């Protein structure tokens, strides 16, 4: 069997031909994967950090992390479903949805289902989501990190929200008295 033929007798391609065809796609896809990993890690770290600050003990931490894991798993399976179905609209939705975009975006780009404009829009949405989450969760994190409240999760979040408002008002008063 020669290097250009398969065992079945048909003509195959050498690795050089395959790399030559995929070469222009590999580097941009790897860069997109890296950027998606960073932005996705940032988004999930912000959410996870806030929910972790609500926990008091190990069992509480595991129960509180469940919503974060559910969002991640739904995004993962949604991305698989969108990629397998090859529906451009569904892939575009999961590419724009900031929780699933880090998983779907590189695959959709490599498959040729979306273009560079969609990639840039998705990056903008992920960056905007990270900024909004930081703005929302930073005061809540500051109020919850030293809280040892043992109430239910929703009641704890409500109490932390009230505490963060009081801390913000006290900070404004303190800065006004300088």
């Amino acid at each position: 069997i020669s290097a250009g033929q398969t065992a079945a007798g048909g003509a195959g391609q050498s690795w050089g031909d395959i790399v030559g065809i995929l070469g222009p796609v590999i580097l941009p896809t790897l860069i997109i994967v890296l950027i998606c990993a960073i932005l996705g890690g940032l988004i999930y770290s912000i959410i996870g950090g806030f929910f972790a600050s609500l926990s008091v003990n190990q069992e509480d931490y595991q129960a509180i992390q469940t919503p974060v894991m559910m969002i991640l798993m739904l995004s993962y399976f949604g991305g698989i479903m969108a990629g397998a179905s090859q529906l451009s609209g569904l892939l575009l939705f999961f590419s724009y949805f900031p929780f699933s975009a880090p998983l779907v975006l590189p695959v959709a780009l490599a498959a040729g289902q979306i273009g560079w404009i969609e990639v840039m829009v998705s990056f903008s949405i992920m960056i905007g989501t990270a900024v909004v989450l930081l703005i929302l969760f930073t005061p809540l994190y500051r109020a919850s990190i030293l809280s040892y409240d043992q109430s239910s999760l929703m009641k704890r979040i409500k109490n932390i929200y009230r505490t963060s408002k009081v801390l913000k008002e006290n900070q404004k008063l303190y800065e006004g008295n300088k």
Side-chain angles (χ1 to χ4, degrees):
I1 299 176
S2 69
Q5 293 183 345
T6 63
Q13 292 183 341
S14 68
W15 281 107
D17 294 338
I18 294 171
V19 171
I21 293 169
L22 294 178
V25 179
I26 291 174
L27 184 62
T29 303
L30 289 177
I31 292 170
I32 298 299
V33 167
L34 179 64
I35 294 170
C36 284
I38 291 169
L39 291 174
L42 178 65
I43 289 171
Y44 279 106
S45 294
I46 293 167
I47 294 170
F50 168 68
F51 281 116
S53 72
L54 296 173
S55 63
V56 178
N57 54 33
Q58 185 67 26
E59 294 81 20
D60 201 20
Y61 173 75
Q62 290 173 351
I64 287 175
Q65 287 298 322
T66 301
V68 178
M69 290 297 124
M70 294 303 292
I71 292 170
L72 186 60
M73 291 306 297
L74 288 173
S75 297
Y76 175 72
F77 287 122
I80 289 174
M81 181 186 70
S85 69
Q86 294 293 316
L87 295 174
S88 296
L90 195 59
L91 273 172
L92 191 61
F93 169 76
F94 280 110
S95 296
Y96 286 162
F97 188 61
F99 302 110
S100 63
L103 303 170
V104 176
L105 194 63
V107 176
L109 179 68
Q113 295 291 324
I114 62 171
W116 286 102
I117 293 173
E118 289 86 0
V119 170
M120 293 303 145
V121 169
S122 182
F123 283 164
S124 301
I125 292 171
M126 284 192 282
I127 292 169
T129 300
V131 168
V132 167
L133 288 174
L134 274 174
I135 291 169
L136 289 176
F137 286 161
T138 299
L140 298 174
Y141 177 84
R142 195 176 302 145
S144 68
I145 193 68
L146 296 176
S147 173
Y148 293 99
D149 189 3
Q150 295 283 338
S151 60
S152 68
L153 178 62
M154 294 312 288
K155 190 172 184 180
R156 200 176 320 171
I157 291 173
K158 195 182 304 182
N159 291 340
I160 288 169
Y161 178 72
R162 277 192 238 125
T163 304
S164 71
K165 285 177 68 175
V166 169
L167 288 174
K168 195 174 191 177
E169 290 172 7
N170 288 343
Q171 185 177 5
K172 285 181 183 179
L173 286 174
Y174 175 74
E175 290 174 359
N177 289 333
K178 279 188 170 182

